[in-house]
Amino acid sequence: MSIPGRRQIGTLFRAPAQAVQTHITRRLAEMGFGDLSAAHMAVFIHIDHERGRVSDGSRLSVLAERAQMTMQSMGYLVDNLEAWGYVERTADPTDGRAKLIRLTGLGWDLHDAADAIAPELEDVWAGSLGKAKFSQLRKLLEELAEHV
């Protein structure tokens, strides 16, 4: 049951999530990664990646499911990123018929740049909310993430 005048929890999560994505995409463009749109971030957000692991990467179907989009839409994004050199398709060592989408060196460069950019927005929000409130918010979100 919704309470009149009270925003839904999904709306409250959506605005900051979109702000993060917009900020990172804009800053990446300033750093030379201007060929990417916010939509391409779905691949980087949902791909399994761990440096040095042979089975590093995700199947297209897994990426599409995690991003809650069609395989065709995810395939289009992956095709773009592959053409631009951010990802590659490799054989899945657990199933020779399947392909894994993996980050390339350039993809890792983008990943590292995004990791460095994210704290910038956290600093801005901590300045707006106050460090104690932002720290509490972060702790609560980490706790919530463990339960969902």
Side-chain angles (χ1 to χ4, degrees):
M1 177 174 130
S2 66
I3 299 170
R6 185 174 178 184
R7 290 189 280 177
Q8 295 288 334
I9 192 75
T11 301
L12 295 172
F13 279 116
R14 186 173 41 252
Q18 287 176 329
V20 169
Q21 194 170 33
T22 299
H23 177 76
I24 290 175
T25 304
R26 182 181 50 78
R27 289 284 289 119
L28 285 171
E30 292 169 2
M31 298 171 76
F33 299 102
D35 43 2
L36 301 170
S37 71
H40 292 104
M41 293 302 118
V43 177
F44 292 96
I45 291 167
H46 296 291
I47 196 168
D48 289 330
H49 56 284
E50 185 178 322
R51 290 184 198 269
R53 264 193 40 224
V54 174
S55 62
D56 190 25
S58 300
R59 292 183 184 185
L60 184 67
S61 59
V62 170
L63 290 173
E65 181 181 325
R66 288 176 181 167
Q68 298 180 348
M69 64 175 55
T70 65
M71 290 246 314
Q72 293 81 3
S73 295
M74 181 57 74
Y76 175 79
L77 296 173
V78 168
D79 288 346
N80 290 162
L81 294 172
E82 185 177 30
W84 299 331
Y86 292 103
V87 299
E88 63 185 354
R89 286 180 169 93
T90 61
D92 183 337
T94 65
D95 182 350
R97 300 166 297 164
K99 296 286 186 189
L100 290 177
I101 314 306
R102 296 175 45 160
L103 298 178
T104 62
L106 183 61
W108 278 109
D109 290 346
L110 181 135
H111 175 276
D112 294 342
D115 275 356
I117 292 166
E120 296 173 358
L121 197 53
E122 288 190 27
D123 290 344
V124 170
W125 290 348
S128 296
L129 295 175
K131 288 184 180 185
K133 277 186 177 179
F134 185 76
S135 178
Q136 181 183 21
L137 172 64
R138 189 171 222 307
K139 183 179 178 199
L140 289 169
L141 289 171
E142 286 172 356
E143 227 176 280
L144 181 60
E146 293 292 321
H147 296 285
V148 295

